[in-house]
Amino acid sequence: MGPDGEGQGRYQFGPFTLDPKLLLLKKGQIRLRLRRQACRLLVLLVRHHDQCVARKEIEEYLWSGGCPAEVEPQQRITWCIALIRRALGDNATNPRYIGTRQGGYEFLGPVKCLDAPPCDQAIDQPSQLPLVLPDAQGAIAKAGQSLD
């Protein structure tokens, strides 16, 4: 899986839906404008909801190849958080979604994964998946079973 969530399901919280693969935030059916880095930061926070994500971890996630010289990471993180809060109608004083913690940020409240497999029920072992193979005639059988 890539850093922006290829292969991950969409998340829902309150009236919002977040698609990590498309870096798309919607409120109901309305697409909300959110800059790419801010949306990536929101994905990171939502994936770790109810956990404090350290500013250093955020910096490494957003600029894994190193931060460009003209960008001061701490100021950019603060700016991204402000953009996210504005998009969500949230604020630092009485947060509903983005909480400020010592040394980092936390996504508050419940998050629901909309696509299978459910986020909290991911398959741990490949052996838990039934292997289904088509035979020469196009019939389907589970591995280890015969169609005869």
Side-chain angles (χ1 to χ4, degrees):
M1 167 186 24
D4 292 326
E6 294 88 349
Q8 283 292 316
R10 295 170 298 136
Y11 298 98
Q12 183 177 29
F13 48 93
F16 301 98
T17 304
L18 177 64
D19 187 326
K21 185 174 181 180
L22 300 176
L23 291 176
L24 176 65
L25 177 65
K26 292 170 106 180
K27 183 176 183 180
Q29 295 301 314
I30 300 170
R31 181 180 179 162
L32 301 177
R33 297 183 135 251
L34 195 56
R35 292 186 176 262
R36 184 176 193 276
Q37 291 294 71
C39 198
R40 290 185 69 220
L41 176 51
L42 180 58
V43 168
L44 178 67
L45 294 174
V46 167
R47 283 191 185 144
H48 295 89
H49 65 95
D50 293 328
Q51 300 174 25
C52 179
V53 181
R55 283 178 157 269
K56 187 66 177 169
E57 184 179 344
I58 293 169
E59 181 180 333
E60 289 170 5
Y61 179 78
L62 294 179
W63 297 284
S64 59
C67 191
E70 69 275 5
V71 175
E72 201 294 306
Q74 298 306 313
Q75 289 178 347
R76 184 66 84 171
I77 291 169
T78 301
W79 180 71
C80 286
I81 290 292
L83 292 176
I84 293 167
R85 284 180 169 147
R86 185 178 315 141
L88 300 176
D90 205 6
N91 66 67
T93 307
N94 190 16
R96 289 180 293 163
Y97 298 108
I98 306 294
T100 304
R101 302 293 176 256
Q102 185 170 353
Y105 297 94
E106 176 181 2
F107 190 88
L108 308 170
V111 173
K112 179 180 177 185
C113 187
L114 298 178
D115 301 313
C119 297
D120 58 348
Q121 297 175 2
I123 296 173
D124 296 325
Q125 303 287 332
S127 62
Q128 292 176 288
L129 288 172
L131 180 59
V132 179
L133 305 170
D135 70 2
Q137 289 77 36
I140 297 178
K142 286 187 180 179
Q145 293 179 339
S146 171
L147 292 176
D148 298 332

